Amino acid sequence: MDTRVHDVLLVGGGGAGLRAAIAVAETNPGLSVAVVSKVYPMRSHTVSAEGGAAAVVRDEDSLEAHAYDTISGGDWLCDQDAVEAFVREATREMVQLEHWGCPWSRQPDGRIATRPFGGMKIERTWYAADKTGFHMLHALFQTTLRYPPIKRYDEFFVTRLLVDDGRCQGVVALEVATGKVQALLAKAVILCSGGGGKVFPFTTNANIKTGDGMAMAYQSGAPLKDMEFVQYHPTGLPFTGILITEAARAEGGWLLNKDGYRYLQDYDLGTPSPTPVKRSMELGPRDRLSQAFVAESKAGRAIPTPYGDVVHLDVRHLGEAVIDKKIPFVRELCLKYQKLDPVKEMIPVRPVVHYMMGGVATDLDGATPVAGLFAAGEVACVSINGANRLGSNSLTELLVFGARAGRAAARFAGAQPDPSSALVAQAADEERRLHRDFLGRTDGTERVADIRSEMQQAMEAGAGIYRDEESIQVAATKVAALRQRFRRVALQDSSRTFNTELVSALELSNLLDLAEVILASAAARRESRGAHQRTDFPERDDEGFLAHTMARQGEDGRPRIEFDPVTITTWPPGERVYGR
Amino acid sequence: MSDTVTMEVLRYRPEEETEPTYESFEVPVQPEWMILDGLNHIKDQLDGSLSYRWACRMGVCGSCGMLVNGRPVLTCATYMESLLPGPIRVEPLRGFPVIRDLVGDITDFMGKLAAVKPYIVREEEKPVEEGEYLQTPEELAEYKQYSMCINCMLCYSACPIYRIEPDFIGPAAIALAQRYNLDSRDEGAQERMDVLSQHAGIWGCTLVGECSEVCPKDVDPAGAIQRYKVSATVDFFKSVLMPWRKE
Amino acid sequence: MNPDYRPYHPKWFRRRVPIFWWLRQAAYVKFISRELTCLLVAYVAILLLVFVAAVDRGEASYLALVGWLSQPMVVAFHVAVLLGTLFHTVTWLNLAPMALVVKVGGRRVPARAILLGHYFAWVACTIAVAWALVGP
């Protein structure tokens, strides 16, 4: 067994992972830090984020206002101490990224420009045209090249965490190019591996978003928090699911039904005005907009297409100059993938799975209940997003909590003994398991692609924008059956070299874990809140469910749900008011 | 319109064979399908052992560059319909060692990228507490185009120099160096010049220009390199004619 | 099975670059033609020196050179040289906007204007030389 030892390991090389790596290197330059990622860092899904990143910068804005928008947007399920830390450190992190070269869009005098965003009362979304995630990721990645202690394992797929004596001390990773299994030992491990949108069939998420970190943490005894909250972004292109950024609406785009009517005014989201009004109409929160779409579609006022009903996003009135300056990527994506020009035509859009509010439960420093295991970014649930994340909070989140987790892990690692040698035996077991269950088996009958596709369909039907007891149970039964079938999975590819089918099978195993947890959490929450809408329990129930679901893997491998209290510091639960 | 098209895909399995071969698959054509959808159809329905990279499927992660009918393209952004009636030949990008099937090894580029110091270099860093560096929209526009590079490697694949002279730093890395040189916040141009004024740097480029032709993000690396040559030359003459001038 | 395969050390496949790689794509052919026609520019320069040397050696020498240049085969060759140098000049001038970033009043001069400037300068030079040779 090839074994490498580092002080701090990052699993995932997206925005959170790279920010955390720099934080480790700056906190303690003597530590050896390594970023392990199944793709090259610049391929990570942060690259696809478009609209912007929120941080208080304008004179008329305040930390309280940002916190209130975030908490009300999250339907009061956010932990308020986490939100307070988040808004407090957001601006500093964003300025830091500016110093690292991120090409933020500017005002004529050279200061940072901001734009409005959904659910935000004041303009506080920094942006780099509409490729904000792309520019942030590349700025972060290129900046890591300044730090010699940061080593990378590019295209290494982590298959499990190494936990000994209750402490996470490394990972087992498959070098995809050669097929070699390695033990990467460390005094602290930070998961930064993103969410798992690929549990669903129709998603803005990249093919690589398979919830690996969430599933591995769960298998290692860490609880997954609030996993029933899956965000549907209201404006994705049909068929591809490509995201049309909220910035299109923030700059003044309208959502129209088949009659050309701005239907959001019928859903308690305010009254239409020609120019955008914050926290109103098209700038309402994503959960409410996606739910309004479903109602509109049920009433027969959407436009049918071969890929499901759509409504229209109309930006034509903004004019070519504004579109090219503020949302050029929207135009590029429409021209390339929808064969239409938004300057002249309306964009067909429908809600699409976008983000997981839930994740590995952590404290404010990214520490999970498993010693030595940290998490930051979409994989984690701190939680600042509650039942519904506001657009442009996630990019900031990965900076703030990536940095916090990095610093905390560096301090933790500095005080730990070297990893135990018992772990190498665990890693050897894992290598044998990979061979036994996948590469070396000849009796399999099931195909990865079939199981994955059936799981995705079951999840969409059972745990989509609206759910109820029955739909959840049907999906749960289906997923349990798929889990059984997965035991008989057969790979057509038995080679070691760049075996993407093996990687897909391991990813599918993680996705199945996530699907189980999402369904179990959704079944346990018998109320409607934010992105979790139960038609059999349509009201929010603060008496019973102002609490986080915590899913732990039981002895039988099935999730067990408990509830943890929500931290309320300043803002008691109230009504979510938009547009009035 | 035909219902199916033949995709001739290059296969290379180093454990089994010493030379690549082509394998043909019949793939249905749908109006929305890109080359990548065709490959996914092959992998999910016909042969699970086909290996290739992909991630975002929206032309921004840079993973899925391949040679399609001899041209380097992003397979997620190339309609199958545009290449009918076929056959459509899919190969790994030229210029990179083939690891397996359609997967090339880009380790070389990763090293070259690091060598050109693609990050802000300053003598003195302003404390974060003092806020952002001011940069006007005009100053931003100076380098914005070069910051759009997604590292998809199409330019390297189109560059004959890179194939003949593997030491050549290459289009994307030089464009990214220029991206920082032109950034009003940066002071590292001289450090980068030390790397780029070598033979394997800008002077390796003989201006074939194909890198800019195939770039999916209009970065124009060929333009970046030529601009760099001009400023390197001007610098050289200034230092000869005005030796008293400060470096 | 590949007998050379050692577990976990697969051999990457490296394609050889064929000598005539540049024939595979029109853009590469154009590039190589542009590069090779620079030899013709050098030839014209040498020819000019030969003229100067001939004039220096006296009238007989000059007439002998003109006589040689008047042969049909040599004329045909020089027509080809002219076409080659024209090709070189045009393709070369067309690249100018790529390297030159000129700013007037904070705005970048468009590529087309830079291109026109170059062509204008070329035509002007040609006229000046013709005027010097032929006289007003």
Side-chain angles (χ1 to χ4, degrees):
Chain A
M1 172 69 52
D2 193 347
T3 304
R4 309 284 172 88
V5 184
H6 296 281
D7 292 305
V8 180
L9 271 191
L10 285 301
V11 179
L18 298 171
R19 180 64 190 89
I22 297 173
V24 174
E26 292 201 326
T27 304
N28 185 346
L31 294 180
S32 133
V33 47
V35 178
V36 190
S37 173
K38 65 179 178 179
V39 291
Y40 281 94
M42 62 275 185
R43 315 301 188 210
S44 308
H45 193 56
T46 306
V47 84
S48 294
E50 297 173 22
V56 170
V57 64
R58 294 172 78 96
D59 293 340
E60 69 271 28
D61 202 355
S62 70
L63 299 182
E64 289 70 32
H66 188 188
Y68 180 78
D69 283 345
T70 301
I71 290 162
S72 57
D75 220 347
W76 274 273
L77 196 66
C78 315
D79 284 321
Q80 296 183 2
D81 54 344
V83 175
E84 285 168 327
F86 166 70
V87 298
R88 198 170 52 236
E89 290 166 30
T91 312
R92 186 198 154 84
E93 280 298 324
M94 302 283 282
V95 173
Q96 176 65 75
L97 199 60
E98 193 278 332
H99 287 210
W100 286 337
C102 186
W104 296 116
S105 293
R106 306 284 178 150
Q107 303 175 41
D109 65 359
R111 287 182 304 142
I112 296 294
T114 50
R115 64 165 37 132
F117 233 66
M120 301 279 192
K121 188 68 187 165
I122 296 166
E123 273 182 45
R124 59 173 75 96
T125 297
W126 304 33
Y127 60 100
D130 53 353
K131 284 194 176 176
T132 310
F134 161 78
H135 286 299
M136 284 177 60
L137 181 69
H138 280 253
L140 279 169
F141 170 61
Q142 289 164 4
T143 300
T144 61
L145 300 174
R146 259 169 67 176
Y147 294 88
I150 302 177
K151 187 182 157 39
R152 289 201 322 271
Y153 293 90
D154 294 332
E155 300 196 317
F156 278 64
F157 184 86
V158 175
T159 69
R160 64 167 288 187
L161 305 177
L162 289 172
V163 180
D164 187 54
D165 202 14
R167 188 158 70 86
C168 182
Q169 299 175 55
V171 304
V172 181
L174 171 78
E175 185 182 22
V176 179
T178 64
K180 189 158 70 174
V181 176
Q182 298 195 2
L184 304 176
L185 305 185
K187 296 172 183 170
V189 174
I190 312 178
L191 295 173
C192 300
S193 50
K198 279 287 164 181
V199 170
F200 291 85
F202 186 62
T203 173
T204 59
N205 283 194
N207 184 47
I208 54 177
K209 292 281 300 283
T210 51
D212 308 318
M214 293 180 182
M216 286 188 293
Y218 171 68
Q219 291 150 14
S220 302
L224 298 184
K225 180 174 170 183
D226 292 338
M227 288 297 288
E228 64 275 30
F229 296 101
V230 175
Q231 177 164 80
Y232 277 75
H233 193 290
T235 58
L237 294 179
F239 178 65
T240 56
I242 287 173
L243 172 72
I244 299 300
T245 172
E246 198 158 298
R249 283 171 281 133
E251 298 298 341
W254 299 326
L255 282 172
L256 306 173
N257 68 12
K258 77 173 165 61
D259 306 317
Y261 173 72
R262 288 173 72 183
Y263 60 92
L264 293 177
Q265 59 190 287
D266 298 346
Y267 297 90
D268 192 20
L269 282 159
T271 48
S273 70
T275 50
V277 174
K278 295 173 196 90
R279 274 181 78 112
S280 174
M281 290 296 289
E282 283 84 0
L283 287 181
R286 291 172 178 175
D287 55 339
R288 296 277 298 275
L289 264 58
S290 293
Q291 290 152 19
F293 168 87
V294 175
E296 222 34 35
S297 167
K298 281 216 170 107
R301 290 192 295 268
I303 303 108
T305 77
Y307 302 103
D309 278 1
V310 299
V311 289
H312 281 137
L313 173 61
D314 190 356
V315 295
R316 292 175 299 178
H317 53 282
L318 303 181
E320 187 167 1
V322 169
I323 290 173
D324 283 348
K325 179 153 183 264
K326 294 293 187 67
I327 46 172
F329 196 35
V330 166
R331 191 174 187 194
E332 181 187 332
L333 289 169
C334 287
L335 285 169
K336 214 173 259 175
Y337 293 96
Q338 202 66 37
K339 299 181 182 168
L340 67 81
D341 185 351
V343 170
K344 299 188 194 104
E345 292 158 275
M346 295 189 286
I347 310 167
V349 290
R350 56 181 273 105
V352 52
V353 169
H354 185 54
Y355 186 87
M356 291 190 161
M357 271 69 76
V360 185
T362 72
D363 67 12
L364 299 193
D365 281 328
T368 74
V370 176
L373 182 65
F374 297 77
E378 192 181 352
V379 69
C381 182
V382 187
S383 75
I384 63 154
N385 299 313
N388 172 63
R389 176 175 70 79
L390 288 192
S392 76
N393 267 352
S394 68
L395 286 176
T396 314
E397 178 184 5
L398 57 82
L399 295 175
V400 170
F401 291 100
R404 276 180 160 257
R407 291 192 293 263
R411 288 193 299 268
F412 180 89
Q416 295 300 313
D418 283 338
S420 127
S421 54
L423 297 162
V424 180
Q426 277 190 40
D429 284 346
E430 176 67 358
E431 186 174 20
R432 280 191 287 277
R433 178 185 78 94
L434 293 181
H435 189 78
R436 184 185 68 229
D437 290 356
F438 300 105
L439 290 179
R441 76 181 298 172
T442 48
D443 57 341
T445 50
E446 295 286 347
R447 288 188 342 174
V448 171
D450 295 342
I451 298 176
R452 185 174 56 216
S453 149
E454 288 181 43
M455 172 199 66
Q456 290 169 337
Q457 299 305 331
M459 290 301 287
E460 176 79 26
I465 296 177
Y466 286 96
R467 307 110 183 237
D468 63 27
E469 186 70 32
E470 197 197 337
S471 77
I472 294 169
Q473 287 318 321
V474 169
T477 308
K478 177 74 183 176
V479 169
L482 291 170
R483 172 59 81 186
Q484 289 303 319
R485 282 170 57 188
F486 183 74
R487 299 206 165 124
R488 299 190 301 274
V489 77
L491 300 190
Q492 282 172 280
D493 191 347
S494 59
S495 72
R496 297 177 175 116
T497 312
F498 222 99
N499 188 333
T500 49
E501 199 186 20
L502 172 61
V503 171
S504 299
L506 294 165
E507 289 173 337
L508 175 58
S509 175
N510 292 332
L511 287 171
L512 286 165
D513 275 354
L514 242 55
E516 267 184 346
V517 172
I518 291 169
L519 292 167
S521 307
R525 185 175 290 280
R526 298 158 87 86
E527 65 154 354
S528 289
R529 183 186 298 269
H532 173 73
Q533 293 292 315
R534 292 272 304 246
T535 50
D536 45 355
F537 299 97
E539 298 300 324
R540 192 174 92 188
D541 173 9
D542 287 339
E543 290 285 301
F545 294 98
L546 185 62
H548 301 293
T549 52
M550 304 290 271
R552 287 185 180 79
Q553 193 170 33
E555 294 288 319
D556 57 351
R558 306 266 310 129
R560 272 209 312 273
I561 307 294
E562 289 162 31
F563 286 93
D564 257 21
V566 173
T567 308
I568 307 275
T569 57
T570 308
W571 297 272
E575 193 195 353
R576 291 174 86 196
V577 179
Y578 292 99
R580 62 183 155 90
Chain B
M1 196 185 91
S2 58
D3 294 328
T4 67
V5 66
T6 305
M7 291 182 80
E8 296 174 356
V9 182
L10 185 131
R11 303 300 305 267
Y12 173 60
R13 288 150 291 210
E15 294 164 49
E16 289 159 35
E17 53 208 9
T18 51
E19 291 278 315
T21 53
Y22 290 92
E23 190 171 348
S24 290
F25 298 95
E26 283 300 308
V27 176
V29 179
Q30 294 187 29
E32 298 85 359
W33 276 24
M34 302 288 184
I35 298 296
L36 181 61
D37 296 302
L39 293 173
N40 286 340
H41 176 84
I42 295 173
K43 185 160 186 72
D44 289 350
Q45 308 297 329
L46 306 175
D47 186 349
S49 74
L50 181 66
S51 280
Y52 51 94
R53 296 187 181 106
W54 70 290
C56 76
R57 208 214 171 273
M58 56 191 279
V60 71
C61 78
S63 307
C64 70
M66 296 172 211
L67 221 54
V68 174
N69 288 351
R71 266 191 83 73
V73 296
L74 294 181
T75 51
C76 79
T78 306
Y79 282 101
M80 288 178 79
E81 255 185 357
S82 68
L83 298 167
L84 293 183
I88 300 172
R89 177 166 275 207
V90 186
E91 301 161 272
L93 287 178
R94 256 197 304 259
F96 301 95
V98 182
I99 298 176
R100 158 96 191 258
D101 295 345
L102 300 169
V103 180
D105 176 27
I106 63 165
T107 315
D108 177 57
F109 166 75
M110 298 301 279
K112 285 172 175 164
L113 178 65
V116 302
K117 306 193 181 201
Y119 37 78
I120 298 281
V121 174
R122 289 182 68 88
E123 211 131 281
E124 243 176 84
E125 296 200 24
K126 172 167 149 179
V128 173
E129 290 70 29
E130 289 173 23
E132 75 265 37
Y133 296 108
L134 296 183
Q135 182 168 68
T136 63
E138 293 73 31
E139 288 170 324
L140 172 65
E142 276 293 300
Y143 69 89
K144 188 72 195 272
Q145 179 181 24
Y146 301 130
S147 76
M148 304 305 273
C149 171
I150 61 173
N151 303 170
C152 65
M153 303 290 104
L154 300 193
C155 55
Y156 283 77
S157 192
C159 176
I161 308 304
Y162 180 60
R163 263 172 280 152
I164 295 163
E165 294 252 5
D167 287 340
F168 178 43
I169 291 175
I174 299 179
L176 281 163
Q178 186 72 329
R179 171 248 175 276
Y180 283 96
N181 285 340
L182 296 175
D183 190 321
S184 57
R185 298 167 288 186
D186 181 79
E187 296 167 351
Q190 197 55 48
E191 285 183 39
R192 285 183 207 102
M193 186 66 88
D194 294 343
V195 181
L196 288 164
S197 59
Q198 294 166 11
H199 176 70
I202 46 175
W203 305 112
C205 170
T206 55
L207 192 38
V208 182
E210 273 299 283
C211 52
S212 294
E213 292 295 318
V214 300
C215 176
K217 298 291 153 187
D218 298 322
V219 172
D220 190 15
I225 299 172
Q226 304 330 305
R227 287 181 67 180
Y228 216 129
K229 285 181 186 168
V230 171
S231 51
T233 310
V234 169
D235 273 7
F236 171 77
F237 279 110
K238 272 189 188 160
S239 68
V240 169
L241 298 174
M242 300 182 281
W244 58 88
R245 203 176 58 106
K246 236 177 76 188
E247 269 288 301
Chain C
M1 275 294 133
N2 179 356
D4 294 336
Y5 174 74
R6 287 188 301 129
Y8 310 120
H9 291 88
K11 196 163 164 265
W12 298 169
F13 177 74
R14 286 164 204 275
R15 289 196 251 202
R16 280 245 213 72
V17 183
I19 295 174
F20 293 107
W21 58 268
W22 48 276
L23 281 178
R24 282 205 299 219
Q25 212 171 299
Y28 293 162
V29 175
K30 191 177 154 198
F31 156 71
I32 288 288
S33 310
R34 186 192 81 210
E35 295 296 291
L36 287 181
T37 45
C38 77
L39 295 175
L40 300 180
V41 176
Y43 167 78
V44 171
I46 292 166
L47 187 62
L48 187 66
L49 292 177
V50 170
F51 256 106
V52 172
V55 170
D56 184 48
R57 279 199 294 271
E59 194 176 347
S61 167
Y62 173 75
L63 288 176
L65 180 62
V66 170
W68 176 74
L69 284 169
S70 310
Q71 295 172 61
M73 288 300 285
V74 179
V75 170
F77 171 71
H78 283 97
V79 168
V81 169
L82 177 66
L83 291 176
T85 48
L86 278 174
F87 175 82
H88 186 84
T89 310
V90 169
T91 51
W92 190 249
L93 289 183
N94 286 350
L95 294 172
M98 207 180 252
L100 279 183
V101 177
V102 183
K103 291 245 171 80
V104 176
R107 283 180 167 242
R108 191 171 164 174
V109 177
R112 181 186 284 268
I114 292 184
L115 206 55
L116 280 174
H118 277 77
Y119 277 98
F120 181 78
W122 181 34
V123 171
C125 288
T126 308
I127 290 171
V129 170
W131 184 78
L133 289 179
V134 184

